[in-house]
Amino acid sequence: MSSAASRANTPLRVFITGASSGIGAALAREYAAQGAALGLLARRRDALEALIATLPHPERHRAYAVDVTEHAALARAAQDFIAVNKGADVVIASAGISHGTLTERPEDLPLFASVFATNVDATIATFAPFIGAMKTQAGMRRLVAIGSMAGVRGMRGAGAYCASKAAVHSYAESLRLEMRPYGIRVVTIAPGYIDTPMTSNNRFPMPFLMPAGRFAAQAVRAIDAGASFRVIPWQMGLVAKLLRVLPDFLFDPLFARAPQKARKEAA
């Protein structure tokens, strides 16, 4: 069944982590505008409930106040959503954090662990409870990993974030091959610079900065199409292709002095 047919007959069932702000909230608004029934998960219940109150058909949506690094609680939320909605059509692992990090600073080691726990481990933990149910379903089935342009090449001062998003890209590629026999599409969306709270503190130029709502509309179209990997906006897709093929002897001197994300200084 196509996504269009699915939407015409019954609401899409969409589960989104990191849903209280930024990309996650923008995706929630986009899907809600299209009539979906949403499971929205984030740490802050008040922010989730405030978001749901602004969405069409708020009675269709469920809020889950859960930290994605708490895998058992995340699994319980997934199981509740599946039980209430009799399955899930789209699962989006959107929760993510970013910190400037330096390997030489011992105090940054916990930040490396925290970034990987949220960006990588929680992506896996988000998908895991849904796969069994999806294998038994017909129609549209999507597992969506939110990667980043930062996962294409490593950037100075962003070792944790770049490495975590590169890991998300590779993990989703492996999962895509595993899910192919079951007709479950694994989609990786790699945002460029999107106007969200995560980018608001960046003190360097952000080319092709895109409003979150416009990003969400394009991301949903890519998810519908079952795209394996999509960079948004498209201009950053061209940049990504260039960065992939740029040899180290050119890449290193060009980016060795590039601006870097500020570190989180100890209180």
Side-chain angles (χ1 to χ4, degrees), residues 26-117:
L27 289 166
R29 293 187 186 98
E30 182 67 21
Y31 274 113
Q34 298 181 9
L38 305 178
L40 303 180
L41 185 144
R43 288 177 296 178
R44 296 179 297 146
R45 180 171 294 279
D46 58 342
L48 289 173
E49 291 179 347
L51 172 61
I52 287 174
T54 69
L55 300 178
H57 303 290
E59 72 282 357
R60 290 182 181 175
H61 315 314
R62 295 178 74 82
Y64 299 99
V66 172
D67 186 324
V68 290
T69 64
E70 298 292 336
H71 298 170
L74 177 55
R76 286 193 295 271
Q79 290 156 6
D80 178 79
F81 184 78
I82 292 168
V84 168
N85 293 280
K86 297 181 172 56
D89 303 300
V90 180
V91 178
I92 305 176
S94 182
I97 58 174
S98 175
H99 295 297
T101 48
L102 292 174
T103 301
E104 68 198 68
R105 301 291 187 94
E107 64 270 25
D108 283 5
L109 292 179
L111 288 178
F112 275 87
S114 177
V115 169
F116 269 80

Side-chain angles (χ1 to χ4, degrees), residues 11-260:
L12 275 180
R13 302 159 295 181
V14 182
F15 187 90
I16 305 172
T17 68
S20 62
S21 66
I23 284 174
L27 289 166
R29 293 187 186 98
E30 182 67 21
Y31 274 113
Q34 298 181 9
L38 305 178
L40 303 180
L41 185 144
R43 288 177 296 178
R44 296 179 297 146
R45 180 171 294 279
D46 58 342
L48 289 173
E49 291 179 347
L51 172 61
I52 287 174
T54 69
L55 300 178
H57 303 290
E59 72 282 357
R60 290 182 181 175
H61 315 314
R62 295 178 74 82
Y64 299 99
V66 172
D67 186 324
V68 290
T69 64
E70 298 292 336
H71 298 170
L74 177 55
R76 286 193 295 271
Q79 290 156 6
D80 178 79
F81 184 78
I82 292 168
V84 168
N85 293 280
K86 297 181 172 56
D89 303 300
V90 180
V91 178
I92 305 176
S94 182
I97 58 174
S98 175
H99 295 297
T101 48
L102 292 174
T103 301
E104 68 198 68
R105 301 291 187 94
E107 64 270 25
D108 283 5
L109 292 179
L111 288 178
F112 275 87
S114 177
V115 169
F116 269 80
T118 300
N119 295 359
V120 183
D121 298 346
T123 294
I124 300 165
T126 297
F127 294 156
F130 287 97
I131 290 174
M134 280 188 164
K135 285 182 177 180
T136 68
Q137 295 173 201
M140 180 179 179
R141 294 163 294 166
R142 303 285 189 268
L143 299 172
V144 183
I146 301 299
S148 173
M149 268 290 295
V152 175
R153 296 293 295 258
M155 295 294 169
R156 65 190 294 262
Y161 188 66
C162 290
S164 73
K165 289 303 185 178
V168 167
H169 295 177
S170 293
Y171 161 70
E173 190 167 53
S174 295
L175 185 63
R176 189 173 77 235
L177 300 178
E178 294 168 12
M179 294 297 102
R180 184 179 175 86
Y182 306 101
I184 299 171
R185 298 287 187 92
V186 178
V187 178
T188 303
I189 303 292
Y193 291 113
I194 310 302
D195 190 5
T196 67
M198 184 180 287
T199 60
S200 64
N201 294 324
N202 288 347
R203 297 294 180 259
F204 50 81
M206 293 182 285
F208 312 114
L209 182 68
M210 174 179 271
R214 190 185 306 168
F215 164 84
Q218 294 187 21
V220 169
R221 288 197 292 271
I223 293 165
D224 283 354
S228 59
F229 186 91
R230 183 69 54 85
V231 178
I232 301 173
W234 66 266
Q235 296 95 330
M236 293 302 283
L238 298 179
V239 174
K241 290 179 180 178
L242 175 62
L243 288 175
R244 285 193 192 104
V245 301
L246 196 65
D248 292 346
F249 74 85
L250 292 176
F251 176 82
D252 290 359
L254 283 173
F255 288 92
R257 297 185 180 277
Q260 64 188 65

